[in-house]
Amino acid sequence: MINIRVYITGMGVVSPAGCGVRSLKTWIKQGKRKIRPLSLFTVSPNNLLPVGEVSESFEALEIPRTHQLALSATQEAMADAQAPPDAVIVGVTTGGMLTTEMHLKNSVSDPEAFTYHALGSVAEYIAGKYHCKGPVITVSNACSSGTAAIKIALEMLRSGQAGRVLAGGVDSLCRLTYYGFKSLQLIDPAGARPLDQNRRGMSVGEAAAMFLLVAEEIAPGNAIVEVLGGGLSCDAYHPTTPHPDGEGALNAMRAAIRDAGILTSDIDYINLHGTGTLDNDLSEAKALNALFGNNRPPLSSVKGAFGHSLAAAGAVEVAISAISITEGVIPANTGCQTPDPKLGIDPVMAPTEKEVRIVLSNSFGFGGNNAALVMGISGEKKPSPSKKIPPLTIEGSACITGAGNMKKTLENISSGKDCKGVLSLSEISKSLKPAEIRRLKRLPRMALSLALAAFQNGNLQETPSSVFWGTGWGPLSETYDFLKKLYESDEQFGSPTDFIGSVHNAPAGQVAVHFGAKGPNVTTTGGDYSFEQALLAASLLADKIDAAFLVIGADESHEAFSPLFDRSVTGDEVRSDGGGAICLKRSGVSYGIKIYPVFFENTDDNPSIIPSLVSILGNSQVIEQQFGAILAGIPAAYRQEGEKQLHEFLSLSDFHQPVIDYRRLTGEFASASAVATALAVEFIRSGEMPASLCGGDGYSLDGKGILILGFGKFVTAIEITS
Amino acid sequence: MEQLLNELNFKIVETLNLTDVMPDDINPDDHLVGGKLGIDSIDILELVMMIEKDYAVKIDNKDLGAKVFASFKSLARYIYENSPEMS
């Protein structure tokens, strides 16, 4: 396909307005407020707040509420699909938290009960149900996750790597977010009143919206709307407060409009992020006025009707935007009585019939993660040529293991030791300024330390502009501490600092603030393949990133949580944690160490996955010629299957050079592949594999590269070549 | 009130993990927000929670918060005058 355009051909929604797109079509014409007092779980006295709750009941499945919401929306989106999706990309911030919270409250200690805790397990569950053999990515960018997921899906389709992608966003209500936002004093006790002069905050909500996006040269018969473009940016300002002038928001909107190849005057409706907080609405209004001046199209926020469903919000609002186009109705800014004159924008106050062809939809999240999408009816836009994934050069690398930093890790390896263990917090914090890390616990300190080291390891003049961060389990210390304090106080007190620190993307936000990195900022999470997801996301967005960018993967070992959540962390094994980071730039030159995420497939229903891998890498001769060694990651939880897969790979590829089972070195933690990647860079720089890893003799790489393979539930491959 | 000042000194340092600040470094007239301690809005919320928990005093709106947290002295005074524990 030379000219790729991306269309939504399937759409599914569950929201406080009901189940199904039809419920949203009914809603949009009436604009009724669906926010009401929480009934999903009981709360402590004086803490009952209005929320956007889904009132549908679901079959009693063994999966948490978030997964049920996702399944319901996916069933509708895929109802007429002719084939499985090639990839699944979903925005999630809660995962199985509602179920996990109840188990923790009841002191459940069986790891089996936490099978669906991981944020990444939602997309994996959906991918399994719909026989998706390709990559599964979970985006966890706080409140802009759903929008960011759709933008990444757009880029994957434009690159030709997929022809059909299932993408969207989902989150359920849970105590963590309910009490968490309350601890930040961001909740309006009267229910969210976006843009109102008396607004006092947001209302937490839940929902799911899923879309089947397809790549075609012209609109297929069942196209609902075309996804014209998207933009991502980061405020790099503060962990929670948006940039006061809406600078990041402005950048994201501009990027989306440019990406869509349209003018601001082409936009018929803007769906605002409009949470109802004093800060968001003000900074968003400033950004809108800067962008549109006095020529603002009709605009409204729907969060006064549905509440703020976090990762689902952006996705639900894409559905509402699509419906505004197909039904010719602009939704009302429900919940607003008197628009705040200080904002200088006038929202649509009642549902209004109007022809809508092009919509801009905004989502601005915690940590300053901003995303905007443009969608519309096809026709006027010039088709864009399919894009290529640019070659990426590794400028610098770093790692943290139980042994210490890269230098100490390499020393251990050279002397035949492993690098398992848990590095002390003081060692991790050595390179960090006390004032900067005062409020940070283990994982964000690891992320910062890795980012600084990877950047310093390169010889770049300019600082990185974008951050891609993969973590299997997120900040466990903050999550644990928040819930512990909450339960110990009978749900009266939750620490604002711990809540803010507990979101998966918080460490990436800290890195962005440190470097003033205002480009795309993406957090991915998918168990043992979280780093691979981050690298894949980076490669899909790299063609528009001029400066250097960081790809970081790390996970912390938590005494209580790690053995409960991560099946690879067992009772007798030495606890380990750590991570790796690489500083990349689009290559302009032929020299330099290059990285390429070449393969990422799901083992579910995929019996020829290994032959597929061998074929993608070239035939066995090519593999033997290109790569001097393989670093193979086999998570303990998948040891049997993983070894079988590796064995099959080795026999099909006929590979005779060193193969290192690297988790025997690093220990068991989700982002061990980030360490392997960073180590591979060092091995290539030195020109040889350490003797201790090759049965006693140093092994010259002879200018060849290293292949990083991941096995288990997914099979992944990263090529590192010089 | 003197005792409360000393107690608060200690609690602020502990709650906010101000590891390089000695309790004696906090002067009664010091600005709490944006002063040399580097306290921001998140820290204020953390202090709000500590004050509600330990002194049963609620500070739940921005305007009140701005007045109360203007200085260490104004914070101590507000707690002293409003806490059921202080009588």
Side-chain angles (χ1 to χ4, degrees), chain A residues 46 183-185 200 238-241 278-279 434-435 437-440 445 485 489 492-498 500, chain B residues 15-20 37-50 52-54 58-62:
Chain A
N46 304 321
S183 77
L184 295 177
Q185 294 190 3
R200 284 194 53 197
H238 185 267
T240 52
T241 317
L278 287 155
D279 287 337
I437 60 171
R438 166 170 68 84
R439 287 196 292 239
L440 304 185
R445 290 188 188 202
K485 211 176 250 164
S489 66
Q492 286 299 330
F493 300 109
S495 158
T497 307
D498 282 334
I500 291 162
Chain B
T15 304
L16 302 185
N17 198 30
L18 296 168
T19 43
D20 49 355
L37 295 173
I39 290 176
D40 74 359
S41 55
I42 297 175
D43 295 314
I44 295 296
L45 289 168
E46 203 67 44
L47 292 178
V48 163
M49 187 184 75
M50 179 270 288
E52 191 176 337
K53 198 156 170 268
D54 294 352
K58 259 196 155 112
I59 304 165
D60 56 5
N61 76 67
K62 243 184 162 173

Side-chain angles (χ1 to χ4, degrees), chain B residues 24-38:
Chain B
D24 289 338
D25 287 346
I26 307 177
N27 282 313
D29 293 309
D30 274 352
H31 288 303
L32 280 178
V33 188
K36 62 182 188 205
L37 295 173

Side-chain angles (χ1 to χ4, degrees), chain A residues 342-511:
Chain A
K342 285 197 223 90
L343 299 178
I345 58 174
D346 30 292
V348 171
M349 298 295 278
T352 306
E353 278 184 25
K354 198 163 197 281
E355 190 194 13
V356 178
R357 295 183 67 87
I358 295 186
V359 176
L360 169 70
S361 180
N362 295 339
S363 297
F364 308 133
F366 254 17
N369 289 126
N370 306 307
L373 284 174
V374 175
M375 66 217 87
I377 326 182
S378 25
E380 290 105 27
K381 185 187 175 286
K382 288 191 294 293
S384 49
S386 64
K387 65 186 239 168
K388 279 194 153 70
I389 304 294
L392 302 173
T393 303
I394 300 178
E395 301 288 341
S397 69
C399 75
I400 291 175
T401 65
N405 60 10
M406 177 63 82
K407 185 160 173 283
K408 298 228 172 75
T409 300
L410 289 172
E411 277 168 13
N412 268 41
I413 291 175
S414 319
S415 49
K417 297 195 217 128
D418 65 42
C419 40
K420 293 179 186 176
V422 168
L423 193 64
S424 74
L425 194 61
S426 55
E427 269 301 312
I428 290 169
S429 314
K430 247 166 63 173
S431 58
L432 307 174
K433 290 205 184 85
E436 194 180 358
I437 60 171
R438 166 170 68 84
R439 287 196 292 239
L440 304 185
K441 296 188 177 175
R442 189 172 180 80
L443 191 66
R445 290 188 188 202
M446 289 209 288
L448 258 180
S449 175
L450 286 166
L452 259 73
F455 172 65
Q456 280 156 11
N457 183 248
N459 270 316
L460 294 166
Q461 299 302 333
E462 61 197 82
T463 51
S465 70
S466 300
V467 182
F468 296 87
W469 157 246
T471 177
W473 302 100
L476 292 175
S477 299
E478 291 86 338
T479 306
Y480 181 86
D481 293 345
F482 182 87
L483 289 172
K484 184 159 182 280
K485 211 176 250 164
L486 188 70
Y487 291 148
E488 279 175 355
S489 66
D490 287 327
E491 297 183 20
Q492 286 299 330
F493 300 109
S495 158
T497 307
D498 282 334
F499 174 60
I500 291 162
S502 73
V503 297
H504 277 44
N505 60 309
Q510 291 292 337
V511 173

Side-chain angles (χ1 to χ4, degrees), chain A residues 91-124:
Chain A
V92 183
T93 68
T94 55
M97 185 53 79
L98 182 62
T99 300
T100 295
E101 284 167 356
M102 296 194 290
H103 287 328
L104 292 174
K105 233 181 160 184
N106 299 326
S107 305
V108 170
S109 58
D110 177 10
E112 197 71 34
F114 299 93
T115 301
Y116 291 104
H117 168 77
L119 268 53
S121 68
V122 182
E124 284 169 24

Side-chain angles (χ1 to χ4, degrees), chain A residues 154 184 254 318 473 613 633:
Chain A
L154 173 65
L184 295 177
R254 277 210 172 108
V318 163
W473 302 100
L613 170 62

Side-chain angles (χ1 to χ4, degrees), chain A residues 193-217:
Chain A
R193 298 170 272 173
L195 310 189
D196 192 284
Q197 64 184 5
N198 295 319
R199 67 188 186 278
R200 284 194 53 197
M202 56 182 268
S203 296
V204 188
E206 61 180 359
M210 297 292 292
F211 306 90
L212 182 60
L213 284 84
V214 300
E216 299 286 354
E217 284 188 12

